[in-house]
Amino acid sequence: MNSLIATEVMVACNGLKQVGRFWWFSFYFETIFEGFMLATLSRVKQIAAAMLVVSAVLCGGLIRADGTSAITPAQKKLLVWHFDQCSYNALGSVLTYFYGPGPVITNVNRDAFEKKTFFDPLNSTGYGGYYGWAPWTSKMVDSGRMVWNGHRVTNLIGANFSLATHLVPKVLIGRVKQTHQYVFFARVAFEKGERHRLIARLQRQLQKGPVLIWTPYAAVLDGNNRDMQWHQVKRMSPGHYLVPFSPQLTHAVAVFAIPHSNKVLVVDGSDLHGVYQTSASTVVCTAAAMSASVRLKLGGGTIISRCGDMYSDRFDVVFYKPKHAAFMPLMPLQYRAQALGALAKAGANRASLAAGYGLLPPNQRSALSFLIGNMPLNDLKTLSGNYLAIDVALAYQAMAPRPWHSHVSNRIFLQYVLPYANLDEKRDGWRKQLGPMCQRLVAGCRSAGAAALMLNKKLFPLLHVSYDAQKRPIPNESPSQSILSHYDSCTGLSILLADACRSVGVPARIVGTPMWAVHRGDANGNNAGNHTWVEIWDGQWHVLGASEVSPLDKTWFLRNASLAYGARLKLIDGIYAHRIYTAVFKRKPITPGNWFPMVWDLNDHTVYADDVSADYDHRELVSVRVAGSGKAATSVVLVLHRQGRLVANLSVHGRVKLWLSAGGHYAAQVRLAGKTSRKTIVVPQKAPFAVELSVP
């Protein structure tokens, strides 16, 4: 009798392996099967029944009309990981899909396993503070440090994508009369055709592999509404859907395609009810509702703030193994997902770009992946791998030991030293031309600020380049074009100065406004004047006018720039006209405020940007004292962020002066000997401008 039941169970397991992509669930049953011959007959029957039920569910045999399965809570325990974080549970289901079963998790080994498997890999990428957030599961996989079922996770890609709507969902608050409790709903509004586009996007991603989505907690895990789970979306009117919502509480689930079906399978490892079959539309609406938590301000404050470089609507992650390519063994794990996605768009130039990996030493290949993953489409199709490899090698040479390089993190290097261009200027090999000359000019400089000032003072006379908006041939000249013509606009001068700084390892970026917010203008009321300048990094960002002989942060246009943050938002040709933007070399959603407005070609949205208007609002030199840092035996590091952007990162010995906005809120971290203290600081509105922190 025992052997008969065991045979039935093995048949169920083997049959399950044949159900399209659901072979991976068989590990639950095979693990139990190993102990069958030692179990009692009643226990064997119970386990066999559970396995056959789950097998039937995954084959589509036991699904209720409302989309929920008929598995009992006891049987569904077979599908539950019981990790501490829902994102770990969802990622566990994904890893099981690709690599088979993980270990048996108990209260004894849970914490140690989670730390080694999830937290440590994420922490190695610099995202440790957000270890429980679903979008960061892609960072865990990309770290190359995960091990699952004895397999090192090195051939899996986690790519973030967006199921968010263009319109931010509105939060509606109601009250239940019987209990007097408040309930929240997110009203998701789709623009014409948008819901179908997002459904198609989800289905395309599911063709690659499982998808992990981030959701409001109440939408999918409300203990009082079990019957509503994954049947929870209500259509209010055409294009408007209502989704249960929970401020500050989020959840994560894994979604799988069902072969030969327009339904999808949701696996919720945090829930005893575990497995649901639902429509792709329900998944899209639920995922879209999540953007109400991150993008919407409720009660005067952001519910969940933006952190790191994760864009506010790329919450969802698709996991897949890329097709084999000859250059894959040479590609480091870091930035591999972005690079592979970009190479797929490079067309005939793909092979040339990929050949660049073979021209670089292993420690420089991740930089090439960063460039390929973020470069504009036209560059993807035209620049060769040889061109990029030479430029990457010269960028690393520029980082030869100099006094200021201790302030340059890898992230700052990738964004503001490595890129081969600033805006849409001609791509030329400026590092070869400027590098030797600029290195001689800054030979005696002891700081990045001093080096930038020296270049600004000496370089332009040396090259015989000066400002003349009438004589310059084009507004966006590259360094070689500026040297040839001898005349430049403020944009061309800024490009030349920024590239000169980068050629000696001084991080630099282009900043500008398409239209000053000053009270003068033409007969139509349009305010006059655009301008472009440079910021350089020396532990914090400093302002510098190209070809101007003035100290850092003392240039003539700061008064004009200070008016941008308080100016009325004026949308002209798809841009906010009076804002201050800085060009960044990273892909972002194409929405107003996310691209650099180049006034000579406002239709060109290929240069991404951050809006830094707030950093110029009431800009004051603030004294920041870190109590106890003067007595510390080791270095005390102060890190400041504002609105998710890095403002300062430098060593402190007692007191330091920083350019901050009066009345501004900053997220401060003080690091000492592996310990970190965190605090939100508010700069005083008026003098004395002083802030005090303490060591951890």
Side-chain angles (χ1 to χ4, degrees):
M1 184 65 178
N2 285 359
S3 61
L4 176 60
I5 295 177
T7 302
E8 291 177 349
V9 172
M10 183 57 74
V11 170
C13 293
N14 290 334
L16 190 59
K17 288 183 179 181
Q18 306 303 319
V19 185
R21 302 181 179 192
F22 301 128
W23 64 267
W24 49 278
F25 275 107
S26 65
F27 88 90
Y28 291 103
F29 316 131
E30 291 176 347
T31 301
I32 297 171
F33 176 72
E34 293 175 359
F36 273 0
M37 302 312 296
L38 301 177
T40 63
L41 178 60
S42 60
R43 179 59 176 160
V44 171
K45 289 182 177 179
Q46 181 183 7
I47 295 174
M51 290 188 289
L52 291 172
V53 168
V54 175
S55 176
V57 168
L58 296 177
C59 293
L62 287 177
I63 301 294
R64 296 196 189 108
D66 64 356
T68 60
S69 66
I71 306 176
T72 66
Q75 294 163 343
K76 284 188 178 179
K77 287 183 180 180
L78 295 171
L79 304 177
V80 177
W81 276 108
H82 284 311
F83 288 128
D84 183 57
Q85 297 288 334
C86 57
S87 58
Y88 297 173
N89 289 320
L91 184 55
S93 296
V94 171
L95 294 174
T96 300
Y97 172 87
F98 288 106
Y99 301 104
V104 176
I105 303 300
T106 66
N107 290 333
V108 176
N109 69 351
R110 180 185 295 112
D111 290 346
F113 182 82
E114 288 181 356
K115 183 178 185 302
K116 182 178 180 180
T117 305
F118 302 108
F119 182 83
D120 287 348
L122 182 61
N123 199 42
S124 70
T125 67
Y127 288 81
Y130 318 109
Y131 60 92
W133 285 18
W136 274 263
T137 53
S138 63
K139 305 296 182 182
M140 298 178 191
V141 169
D142 288 346
S143 71
R145 299 190 179 189
M146 296 193 77
V147 177
W148 189 267
N149 191 27
H151 298 276
R152 183 168 290 277
V153 182
T154 58
N155 60 343
L156 186 64
I157 300 298
N160 290 88
F161 70 101
S162 173
L163 289 176
T165 53
H166 180 260
L167 299 175
V168 179
K170 292 185 178 180
V171 173
L172 307 178
I173 304 175
R175 190 172 183 178
V176 180
K177 291 183 178 180
Q178 292 82 354
T179 62
H180 302 288
Q181 292 180 330
Y182 288 100
V183 293
F184 294 83
F185 291 91
R187 187 176 69 185
V188 179
F190 294 97
E191 295 179 341
K192 185 177 181 180
E194 187 178 33
R195 186 174 68 92
H196 295 291
R197 289 195 299 271
L198 291 176
I199 290 173
R201 180 179 301 170
L202 173 63
Q203 291 171 336
R204 286 195 303 271
Q205 301 294 358
L206 287 172
Q207 293 304 310
K208 297 180 182 178
V211 166
L212 191 151
I213 67 167
W214 205 17
T215 72
Y217 183 91
V220 296
L221 203 61
D222 187 343
N224 296 323
N225 293 282
R226 291 293 186 188
D227 291 337
M228 295 298 293
Q229 286 181 312
W230 296 105
H231 195 64
Q232 74 277 21
V233 176
K234 299 297 182 184
R235 182 175 180 268
M236 298 176 62
S237 61
H240 292 79
Y241 294 79
L242 207 61
V243 182
F245 184 74
S246 46
Q248 298 183 331
L249 293 175
T250 67
H251 193 57
V253 297
V255 182
F256 299 84
I258 297 179
H260 315 298
S261 173
N262 58 1
K263 298 281 188 178
V264 297
L265 192 76
V266 175
V267 177
D268 189 345
S270 303
D271 180 13
L272 289 178
H273 293 243
V275 182
Y276 302 91
Q277 191 182 58
T278 189
S279 67
S281 177
T282 296
V283 172
V284 164
C285 291
T286 306
M290 182 60 210
S291 62
S293 286
V294 181
R295 294 162 64 193
L296 183 71
K297 290 188 175 181
L298 181 64
T302 303
I303 297 174
I304 299 177
S305 61
R306 290 175 57 184
C307 298
D309 63 357
M310 182 64 65
Y311 312 133
S312 61
D313 63 350
R314 292 176 59 185
F315 311 145
D316 311 302
V317 189
V318 58
F319 296 92
Y320 64 95
K321 290 183 178 180
K323 295 180 180 179
H324 175 74
F327 61 87
M328 278 289 291
L330 299 178
M331 292 185 74
L333 291 170
Q334 192 175 29
Y335 307 114
R336 179 187 284 184
Q338 297 97 311
L340 286 172
L343 286 170
K345 304 174 184 177
N349 198 41
R350 183 172 183 265
S352 173
L353 289 172
Y357 288 99
L359 303 175
L360 290 169
N363 66 320
Q364 296 180 9
R365 291 171 185 165
S366 61
L368 179 59
S369 290
F370 175 84
L371 289 178
I372 292 174
N374 291 282
M375 61 201 301
L377 182 60
N378 187 59
D379 290 347
L380 274 173
K381 295 182 176 181
T382 56
L383 296 183
S384 69
N386 182 65
Y387 173 90
L388 291 179
I390 292 173
D391 203 70
V392 168
L394 290 174
Y396 275 94
Q397 288 180 21
M399 298 303 293
R402 296 185 186 276
W404 57 83
H405 286 171
S406 61
H407 295 313
V408 182
S409 66
N410 186 58
R411 187 173 296 183
I412 291 290
F413 167 76
L414 292 176
Q415 276 286 334
Y416 305 112
V417 176
L418 176 68
Y420 52 83
N422 294 279
L423 302 175
D424 65 340
E425 70 271 21
K426 175 188 173 185
R427 281 31 175 164
D428 55 33
W430 50 266
R431 292 190 204 269
K432 292 181 182 178
Q433 188 172 15
L434 295 178
M437 181 191 314
C438 294
Q439 288 167 14
R440 290 193 296 270
L441 292 176
V442 303
C445 297
R446 306 300 301 169
S447 69
L453 287 173
M454 180 62 70
L455 291 173
N456 203 26
K457 179 180 179 181
K458 299 288 188 180
L459 183 64
F460 294 100
L462 186 63
L463 297 176
H464 304 289
V465 175
S466 60
Y467 175 82
D468 195 314
Q470 304 302 319
K471 293 182 180 180
R472 52 87 175 144
I474 55 175
N476 55 335
E477 290 183 300
S478 68
S480 63
Q481 291 172 325
S482 298
I483 294 170
L484 184 64
S485 71
H486 299 296
Y487 298 106
D488 251 331
S489 66
C490 59
T491 300
L493 294 173
S494 296
I495 290 172
L496 180 54
L497 178 59
D499 287 344
C501 289
R502 292 177 178 183
S503 73
V504 294
V506 174
R509 64 187 188 184
I510 297 294
V511 188
T513 180
M515 188 181 295
W516 287 124
V518 292
H519 299 293
R520 62 176 183 270
D522 58 23
N524 296 321
N526 293 318
N527 294 334
N530 66 283
H531 192 50
T532 308
W533 60 94
V534 175
E535 287 183 353
I536 64 99
W537 176 263
D538 193 5
Q540 62 176 313
W541 289 110
H542 294 283
V543 181
L544 190 60
S547 191
E548 297 177 14
V549 181
S550 60
L552 294 174
D553 306 297
K554 295 292 184 181
T555 188
W556 63 270
F557 53 79
L558 285 177
R559 166 63 180 166
N560 288 354
S562 68
L563 302 175
Y565 189 62
R568 178 175 61 88
L569 288 178
K570 189 174 184 180
L571 196 63
I572 301 176
D573 293 327
I575 61 171
Y576 294 117
H578 303 315
R579 308 295 281 186
I580 307 294
Y581 300 94
T582 179
V584 294
F585 201 84
K586 62 182 179 184
R587 292 190 179 278
K588 303 183 71 174
I590 300 299
T591 57
N594 277 356
W595 69 77
F596 193 92
M598 296 175 286
V599 295
W600 53 92
D601 188 359
L602 289 175
N603 293 321
D604 188 341
H605 300 163
T606 60
V607 178
Y608 301 102
D610 285 338
D611 186 332
V612 293
S613 305
D615 296 342
Y616 285 82
D617 182 44
H618 296 91
R619 204 164 182 264
E620 301 288 350
L621 195 58
V622 179
S623 175
V624 180
R625 178 176 177 268
V626 180
S629 61
K631 300 178 181 179
T634 58
S635 176
V636 176
V637 177
L638 172 64
V639 182
L640 292 183
H641 286 84
R642 188 181 192 190
Q643 298 175 350
R645 290 178 285 103
L646 181 64
V647 174
N649 186 346
L650 68 173
S651 299
V652 180
H653 189 77
R655 191 183 301 272
V656 66
K657 290 190 175 182
L658 301 174
W659 287 98
L660 305 175
S661 295
H665 291 62
Y666 296 84
Q669 296 181 20
V670 180
R671 301 171 182 170
L672 173 63
K675 297 181 179 180
T676 301
S677 65
R678 293 178 172 85
K679 182 180 179 181
T680 298
I681 62 173
V682 181
V683 179
Q685 291 277 7
K686 56 184 179 180
F689 299 104
V691 174
E692 184 157 327
L693 297 166
S694 59
V695 296

